[in-house]
Amino acid sequence: MASLCYSLQLAPKLSPINPKSFPNLTFLNQSKSKVRLARRPTITRMSLNPTPATDRLISAAAYTLPFFNSLQYGRYLFIQYPQLGTLFDPLIPLLSLYKSVPYASFVAFFALYLGVVRNPSFSHYVRFNSMQAVTLDVLLIVPLLLTRILNPGRAGLGYQVMVWGHTGVFVFSCLCFVYGVVWSILGRTPYLPFVADAAGRQV
């Protein structure tokens, strides 16, 4: 027992560690705190800016221009499937009013391009959608020009290819019309294939 007490008395006393005497430890502690601060996730707050109702209405109305001008390509489809014409019966009064105006397509084209697309008072959302409608309307002239140049006739393989081409153009135009109108009403930006990139460079 006496020997045990004597050994305890001879044991060295441990003094608290002074951080100043170990500068490396302080550096490690600071680096760890910096790492912990860097790993904290940053929270960003998003502000919702809904599209105004007037911008949605103008954008949706702009897509009626290429749609009305593409109805001529659907005549072969309507002849083959007459029941499809009932889907477009509600648009007959509006289409009749559109056709009653002399040079309605040219007037609507330049009114939409000069009055909306090139008008900085309208928002970028309206001008982009209007430019997409104008670009699509210009592309719809290409099949008609090819038909007049090639003159496939009224029978044969050339005529059948023309029917398929016109029907495909009409279906594509209808899909673009539905897509553009629905997305515009919802306040979202529609991106039409073959059109969006060209329209974005012009706005």
Side-chain angles (χ1 to χ4, degrees):
M1 186 69 179
S3 61
L4 179 60
C5 294
Y6 181 76
S7 62
L8 290 175
Q9 291 178 359
L10 293 178
K13 295 182 180 180
L14 298 176
S15 61
I17 298 175
N18 188 4
K20 294 182 179 180
S21 60
F22 298 91
N24 294 329
L25 292 177
T26 58
F27 175 76
L28 291 176
N29 291 331
Q30 291 178 358
S31 62
K32 288 181 179 179
S33 62
K34 290 181 180 180
V35 171
R36 290 177 182 176
L37 291 175
R39 290 180 180 178
R40 292 179 182 177
T42 57
I43 301 174
T44 56
R45 296 181 180 178
M46 297 178 64
S47 59
L48 297 177
N49 295 322
T51 306
T54 53
D55 291 355
R56 300 183 189 185
L57 181 61
I58 297 173
S59 299
Y63 290 104
T64 58
L65 173 64
F67 174 70
F68 283 166
N69 292 333
S70 67
L71 291 176
Q72 58 181 335
Y73 295 110
R75 61 180 179 270
Y76 302 107
L77 188 63
F78 293 146
I79 293 174
Q80 188 175 1
Y81 302 100
Q83 61 273 17
L84 291 178
T86 57
L87 298 176
F88 300 89
D89 288 342
L91 299 176
I92 291 179
L94 186 60
L95 183 61
S96 300
L97 179 63
Y98 177 75
K99 293 296 183 181
S100 63
V101 179
Y103 304 101
S105 60
F106 292 101
V107 173
F109 176 86
F110 286 106
L112 190 61
Y113 181 74
L114 298 177
V116 179
V117 176
R118 294 304 178 186
N119 191 347
S121 61
F122 288 99
S123 63
H124 181 270
Y125 181 81
V126 174
R127 291 187 289 114
F128 175 74
N129 284 285
S130 300
M131 191 62 207
Q132 281 198 128
V134 169
T135 306
L136 181 60
D137 189 63
V138 172
L139 292 179
L140 290 174
I141 304 176
V142 176
L144 186 61
L145 293 177
L146 291 177
T147 302
R148 293 181 178 179
I149 293 174
L150 298 177
N151 192 13
R154 295 290 181 179
L157 180 60
Y159 175 77
Q160 190 64 36
V161 171
M162 182 194 67
V163 171
W164 292 340
H166 285 199
T167 302
V169 169
F170 175 70
V171 173
F172 175 75
S173 177
C174 289
L175 294 177
C176 291
F177 172 72
V178 174
Y179 172 56
V181 169
V182 172
W183 253 239
S184 298
I185 293 175
L186 295 177
R188 303 174 63 180
T189 304
Y191 294 96
L192 302 182
F194 312 109
V195 176
D197 292 337
R201 289 191 294 267
Q202 298 295 325
V203 177

